[in-house]
Structures are given as C-alpha cells and as structure tokens.
Amino acid sequence: SILWLKYGLIKHDHTITFVNGTGALISIYILAMFWKHSAARTRVELKVLATAIAGVVLVSYVDQSKDPEAIEVFSLVCCFMSLLFLASPLSHMGAVIARRDASVLLPSVAALAFFNNVLWAVYGYVHEDPYMIMPNLVGAFFCSLQLALIAFYGRAAAASRLPVDADNMPDSPLDEAIGASSGIAVLAAENVQMTEISHDNLGA
C-alpha cells in the first residue's frame, strides 16, 4: 500500500492516493497486532526493517533521480510486489493437491481480492494506465486459481472443526507477503489461534 500510495502521489491521482493511504494505516495497525501476538518478534522486526529500508531506497530513488525512466522502474516494482503478495497463497498449492483439502485457503479473502483486482483493472483501463491494468488482471487470475482449488477440493478440515495440530500446520506465507498489506491479517489470526491452542495444551 505504501508503494502504491507513492505511485498515486506521483501520478497526482487522488483515488489511488486515498485508497492506499487508508490501506497503509490499516496495514500498520494489523502489523502491530501481529507483532504483539507473535512468538518470534525478532523475526518480524527484521523483516519489517528490511522492507522499510527497501521502501525508503525506492522512494528516494524516484525523488532524487533525474532519469525519466525512474518512474517507470518504480511502477514496475509496484506491480511486482502486488503480484508477489497475490501469488503467495498459491505456495500452498502442492499441499492442497496432495491432501485434497483447501483448508489453508480462505474463500472470503480470495473472493474479495478477486473483485478488488477486477475493479482496479477496470479503473486502470478507464484511465489508460497499463501499470494498473496488467498486475490486477494477473492478480485476478491468481485469485481465480485459489477459488478453483477451494471449489474443487473443499475445506474438509475447516468443516470438521477438528483441533489444529500446530506442528503439522503448513508454512506461513509471511516470507512472501511481508511487503504487502491486508494479507497480514490472515497470518495474524492464524498465529493467535496457534498461540491460544499452545497455552491450552500447557495448562492441561
């Protein structure tokens, strides 16, 4: 959201600026909650620091560079980060197919992300902005893949409401999605759930 906020400022687009400015504030709050409940705070802090440094370098490059291609390079980075975030849930695809269970994918998040990408793609088409069109079309495709996996394999573990075994949980997509925004909310919820289960087991 912060990178797209800067993109909106560069383009003098009030819609992009307002939406991503709001998203950045929400992301900061969600990240703070994730850090508060995380058992590995040092890891989170290092990733946030690395992301912040990369963001400062990119923004400084655009602000200080006299090369007209600097904005184009920055725009491509924004597109790449968006695609990285939207594709991160697909890192579970192998496990979903092997177990024939799509419980690690959230249908509500995938559906909202799909419609969000479609709307931004239409917005980019109306404003003739290829940097808004292409990443959002590809992102909508990634989201449709998630929805297809959910529809085909179902969410058996979620439906049965069996106790969660923290040792057998799939790897978190935090490594891929730390530079993005709202996806961190899903990771925070999973972490809180596993923390509560761990406390219950210790109490027993």
Side-chain angles (χ1 to χ4, degrees):
S1 290
I2 294 177
L3 293 181
W4 283 112
L5 170 61
K6 178 61 178 178
Y7 180 83
L9 292 173
I10 293 173
K11 294 289 186 178
H12 303 289
D13 190 310
H14 298 298
T15 301
I16 297 176
T17 301
F18 174 76
V19 171
N20 287 282
T22 304
L25 293 176
I26 295 173
S27 298
I28 291 172
Y29 171 77
I30 292 173
L31 184 58
M33 292 299 100
F34 177 74
W35 175 83
K36 179 180 178 180
H37 296 285
S38 177
R41 291 185 177 182
T42 301
R43 181 187 178 193
V44 176
E45 291 165 358
L46 289 175
K47 290 182 179 295
V48 171
L49 178 61
T51 303
I53 292 175
V56 170
V57 170
L58 284 171
V59 171
S60 299
Y61 167 69
V62 174
D63 288 340
Q64 301 299 324
S65 177
K66 298 180 180 179
D67 188 347
E69 294 185 357
I71 295 178
E72 184 175 349
V73 172
F74 180 79
S75 301
L76 290 173
V77 172
C78 290
C79 294
F80 174 76
M81 293 303 296
S82 293
L83 293 177
L84 182 64
F85 164 66
L86 292 167
S88 62
L90 295 178
S91 62
H92 297 307
M93 182 179 290
V96 168
I97 296 174
R99 300 174 185 175
R100 303 183 66 82
D101 178 12
S103 297
V104 294
L105 302 176
L106 298 178
S108 58
V109 173
L112 289 173
F114 174 80
F115 287 111
N116 177 70
N117 280 274
V118 170
L119 291 174
W120 277 117
V122 172
Y123 182 86
Y125 175 78
V126 171
H127 290 269
E128 299 181 347
D129 188 342
Y131 296 110
M132 293 295 296
I133 298 173
M134 294 308 299
N136 285 291
L137 284 179
V138 178
F141 172 72
F142 287 155
C143 294
S144 66
L145 286 180
Q146 296 179 53
L147 292 171
L149 289 172
I150 293 170
F152 187 77
Y153 290 112
R155 307 184 71 240
S160 62
R161 298 182 182 277
L162 293 175
V164 178
D165 184 356
D167 293 333
N168 294 325
M169 287 290 289
D171 292 337
S172 167
L174 178 60
D175 291 340
E176 297 91 351
I178 190 66
S181 56
S182 59
I184 300 175
V186 177
L187 300 174
E190 292 176 350
N191 187 77
V192 171
Q193 181 183 16
M194 287 189 291
T195 301
E196 291 175 350
I197 292 172
S198 177
H199 289 168
D200 291 342
N201 291 337
L202 289 174

